[in-house]
Amino acid sequence: MSGYDRMLRTLGGNLTEFIENLDALHSYLALSYQEMNAPSFRVERAADGKMLLHYYSDRSGLCHIVPGIIEAVGKDFFNLDVTMDILDMNKEVERTGKKEHVVFLIVQKARRKMRKAKPSRLQDSQDNQSDQEALKAAFLRMKEKYLSVSACPVKKSHWDVVRSIVMFGKGHLVNTFEPIYPERLWIEEKTFCNAFPFHIVFDESLRIKQAGVTIQKYVPGLQTQKIRLDEYFSIIHPQVTFDIFSICKFINSQFVLKTRREMLPEAWKSQPTLKLRGQMIWMESTRCMMYLCSPKLRSLQELEEHKMYLSDIAPHDTTRDLILLNQQRLAEIELSNQLERKKEELRVLSQHLAIEKKKTETLLYAMLPEHVANQLKEGKKVAAGEFKTCTILFSDVVTFTNICAACEPIQIVNMLNSMYSKFDRLTSVHEVYKVETIGDAYMVVGGVPVPIGSHAQRVANFALGMRISAKEVMNPVTGEPIQIRVGIHTGPVLAGVVGDKMPRYCLFGDTVNTASRMESHGLPDKVHLSPTAYRALENQGFEIIERGEIEVKGKGKMTTYFLIQNLNATKDEIMGRPTTPLDHKGKQKREVFMGTSLPTTRLQGSVQPFCPEHTSLASGALDTSPTDISKAEARDLGKEDRKAVVIMRYADSWQLLPDRNVADETDINN
């Protein structure tokens, strides 16, 4: 499932080759799995075809799973029936501690083909009995032989290592290939040392007999006669004791040697130490070991750090290809990293662009309705639209001309900015559209550009909020809160975008003029309603009083009205402020009783918390009746804690009620 099956199937042409190359496979896998602690396998073969498997592991107790794995490999890969028995088991001390050493006897048989006719039970039992007897006899012979076997595998010649295996049973061969060897070696000593520039031959006492030309160049001490290999090198992998006995035990492992820094010339000690990687080959005829190796280099940078060149490596050595391919891979990785960095930069720039685009859109939507702005962005013409009914509001500052004459321009700008900022917030609360501001005049419309049935109620609530907000803006001349006039009219309009530079969404029609007249003919701190606006707000929960018949410029006589309050909403609800219970203050002149949070209901045109007109004391209060106080006390108490109480007037008495809010002294006076 993970793709290792192909790697295993190509490991060897028979079971012996498969086992002998397992250590090399584990060495390769250790590059990816750093913490892997792999066992080691070594095969010892006799001339009669019997095979011994030496198993070494740092973890004891796992040897019992080896027979099952080897038998499965023989069955699936080589069509063999394999049986394994333990001949010996002991502990051997190595550099990393005690290693478990187990010797298995391996018996192989080619799997029999299924017979068409079912054999008789008698014949089958006789075959099984003879097989068992032969296996038992072979087992006893091999156990006796093993006790007298030396540490190094005993073979007639080095070439017997690759000889085909003679099977038990019928005696047929698994692989009939037989190599032919020359009577003598047709190669000169110099040619061999040049062909294999990285090799070392040493005897059982680790004394070096010969070495390749390039390894002599980079380890000059090897040219000295009768030196020991362990004087100039240490074993990095496998982690075993540096002696011929341990090397023979792990002869199938890949050996990594590292030069000892203290043995190098003084000028070379600052350079990285040279590592060699290769295999150990035991030569029985000379009783010597040959270490056939290559420099362990992975990139051109490491090659330069060791002050080596590609020419130092033999052309047939794949280390050359490994270095060049890895260098190409590193270049591709660096290119990929550069692309990733560019991608990240583009992502960050894209985020910044999106933020700037959002700012631009926010600014654009503040100037034009969203659907109108989107049409203009797409290059489309915005057609004028007719709205059969909408509500328009105009407001201005009372005595604004006198204020301008007595103040510095920056004071006027600051005052208007403070006032308009509060008004702009209210447009979002009540979802009305701000058309424009000219000087101290502020124009708002409800029901345009998106028609909605509650446009009059929304504009009315907005007007009440404007009146409250204006009291928080101070006149720079007198230091008192400014006063505004507000006029509202309901009727049809025509709306559209005019101009190419700084386009504005404008309203046209007599409704605009009438709304402006309502504002100019209004009174300070009053919301002036036209007859059509009054009819739109009638029976909608608003307190409205009749002003009477007045002369309106350009309109003649008109009966107009004043909007007083919303009977179903508190000031906090009108202002869009959250309503939360307040802490009790013990230092007040009168006890103020706190109530619980109130349920929500639908305010005209929007969802707002509900508060009845006359609220009784909440559950848990100390008293259930209003507290009678004087007007002066009410004013003082309102100044002390404007958010804790509300002062309401009944006839000629002033009473203190809980669960209300008061904005400032003007509210108390009103």
Side-chain angles (χ1 to χ4, degrees), residues 242-308:
F242 207 152
D243 56 46
I244 197 68
F245 181 78
S246 297
I247 293 174
C248 288
K249 282 196 301 185
F250 298 95
I251 196 167
N252 290 328
S253 298
Q254 188 178 69
F255 279 78
V256 178
L257 304 186
K258 183 176 73 171
T259 56
R260 295 184 182 274
R261 190 181 299 274
E262 63 271 14
M263 301 301 293
L264 296 176
E266 195 65 30
W268 293 8
K269 289 185 178 180
S270 60
Q271 299 179 14
T273 55
L274 178 64
K275 290 183 181 180
L276 302 174
R277 177 177 55 193
Q279 68 175 122
M280 295 289 183
I281 301 175
W282 175 252
M283 298 178 290
E284 180 65 26
S285 59
T286 59
R287 301 296 294 178
C288 289
M289 186 75 72
M290 180 171 68
Y291 181 46
L292 193 60
C293 58
S294 299
K296 190 178 181 182
L297 303 172
R298 292 174 296 180
S299 64
L300 293 177
Q301 180 181 352
E302 291 185 5
L303 192 73
E304 292 175 343
E305 289 174 353
H306 288 84
K307 296 185 178 180
M308 298 179 67

Side-chain angles (χ1 to χ4, degrees), residues 77-229:
F77 290 179
F78 307 111
N79 197 30
L80 295 174
D81 285 328
V82 178
T83 57
M84 296 180 62
D85 294 290
I86 296 178
L87 288 179
D88 187 59
M89 181 185 301
N90 55 59
K91 298 281 187 179
E92 296 183 1
V93 179
E94 289 295 346
R95 234 167 65 195
T96 56
K98 289 186 177 181
K99 282 185 178 289
E100 184 178 61
H101 178 199
V102 182
V103 182
F104 294 94
L105 170 65
I106 300 179
V107 180
Q108 309 174 63
K109 284 187 179 181
R111 302 190 69 193
R112 297 180 181 178
K113 296 181 180 180
M114 296 297 295
R115 296 191 181 101
K116 294 182 180 180
K118 185 177 180 181
S120 64
R121 293 183 179 178
L122 180 60
Q123 182 67 29
D124 192 25
S125 62
Q126 291 176 353
D127 290 343
N128 289 337
Q129 185 176 359
S130 61
D131 289 345
Q132 292 293 332
E133 292 175 355
L135 180 60
K136 187 175 182 179
F139 177 77
L140 292 175
R141 289 196 304 271
M142 288 303 301
K143 187 169 185 179
E144 292 175 0
K145 182 179 178 181
Y146 171 73
L147 298 177
S148 60
V149 170
S150 64
C152 294
V154 179
K155 308 175 185 64
K156 292 183 178 179
S157 70
H158 168 69
W159 302 108
D160 287 340
V161 177
V162 295
R163 198 176 301 279
S164 300
I165 304 167
V166 178
M167 307 300 299
F168 277 99
K170 302 299 181 179
H172 64 276
L173 299 179
V174 173
N175 191 343
T176 57
F177 170 74
E178 283 287 345
I180 298 176
Y181 302 108
E183 294 181 359
R184 71 181 185 88
L185 197 60
W186 294 86
I187 185 170
E188 296 177 347
E189 292 81 356
K190 290 183 179 180
T191 305
F192 185 87
C193 290
N194 285 311
F196 300 96
F198 288 92
H199 83 275
I200 302 174
V201 177
F202 55 95
D203 61 14
E204 294 175 301
S205 61
L206 302 183
R207 295 196 178 277
I208 297 176
K209 299 296 185 181
Q210 72 178 53
V213 293
T214 306
I215 198 171
Q216 295 178 34
K217 176 181 177 182
Y218 292 99
V219 188
L222 298 182
Q223 295 178 328
T224 307
Q225 296 294 324
K226 297 182 180 181
I227 64 166
R228 288 172 54 90
L229 183 65

Side-chain angles (χ1 to χ4, degrees), residues 421-652:
S421 297
K422 298 178 186 298
F423 292 173
D424 290 344
R425 189 187 70 83
L426 289 174
T427 60
S428 300
V429 173
H430 299 287
E431 297 181 355
V432 294
Y433 179 67
K434 173 185 175 182
V435 181
E436 62 181 349
T437 57
I438 302 175
D440 64 325
Y442 196 92
M443 179 181 179
V444 163
V445 62
V448 177
V450 180
I452 190 169
S454 59
H455 55 85
Q457 295 93 316
R458 291 174 182 269
V459 174
N461 288 325
F462 175 77
L464 295 174
M466 291 179 73
R467 194 174 62 179
I468 297 172
S469 297
K471 295 171 185 177
E472 300 174 1
V473 181
M474 298 302 160
N475 187 326
V477 178
T478 64
E480 297 293 328
I482 63 172
Q483 290 183 317
I484 61 171
R485 284 189 299 262
V486 181
I488 299 176
H489 177 61
T490 300
V493 296
L494 189 68
V497 178
V498 294
D500 292 329
K501 290 187 177 181
M502 297 184 64
R504 299 296 300 173
Y505 189 73
C506 298
L507 306 181
F508 303 94
D510 186 63
T511 301
V512 179
N513 298 329
T514 304
S516 179
R517 295 289 182 266
M518 290 297 101
E519 175 266 318
S520 60
H521 289 74
L523 297 178
D525 205 27
K526 297 291 184 181
V527 179
H528 197 198
L529 303 179
S530 69
T532 55
Y534 167 74
R535 287 192 293 272
L537 296 175
E538 193 176 10
N539 300 323
Q540 297 295 327
F542 292 92
E543 181 183 351
I544 302 173
I545 62 174
E546 182 179 339
R547 179 183 184 183
E549 191 175 69
I550 63 172
E551 183 72 26
V552 178
K553 182 180 178 181
K555 299 295 180 182
K557 293 185 179 298
M558 293 179 64
T559 301
T560 59
Y561 305 83
F562 287 127
L563 174 64
I564 304 302
Q565 64 176 336
N566 187 329
L567 299 175
N568 296 327
T570 65
K571 291 179 181 179
D572 275 346
E573 294 163 352
I574 291 293
M575 296 299 294
R577 300 168 182 156
T579 56
T580 56
L582 299 168
D583 295 334
H584 174 69
K585 284 197 173 183
K587 294 183 180 180
Q588 292 181 350
K589 295 181 181 180
R590 294 288 186 267
E591 286 185 330
V592 181
F593 306 106
M594 310 313 300
T596 57
S597 58
L598 300 173
T600 58
T601 185
R602 181 168 292 279
L603 181 64
Q604 300 294 338
S606 60
V607 177
Q608 296 287 348
F610 168 74
C611 187
E613 169 67 11
H614 304 299
T615 305
S616 63
L617 291 175
S619 60
L622 301 178
D623 196 354
T624 58
S625 60
T627 304
D628 290 334
I629 57 176
S630 67
K631 183 175 182 180
E633 287 178 324
R635 182 181 294 105
D636 293 338
L637 186 57
K639 291 179 179 178
E640 182 177 348
D641 190 354
R642 295 175 179 175
K643 294 184 179 179
V645 298
V646 66
I647 311 304
M648 300 196 66
R649 185 175 183 179
Y650 292 98
D652 293 328

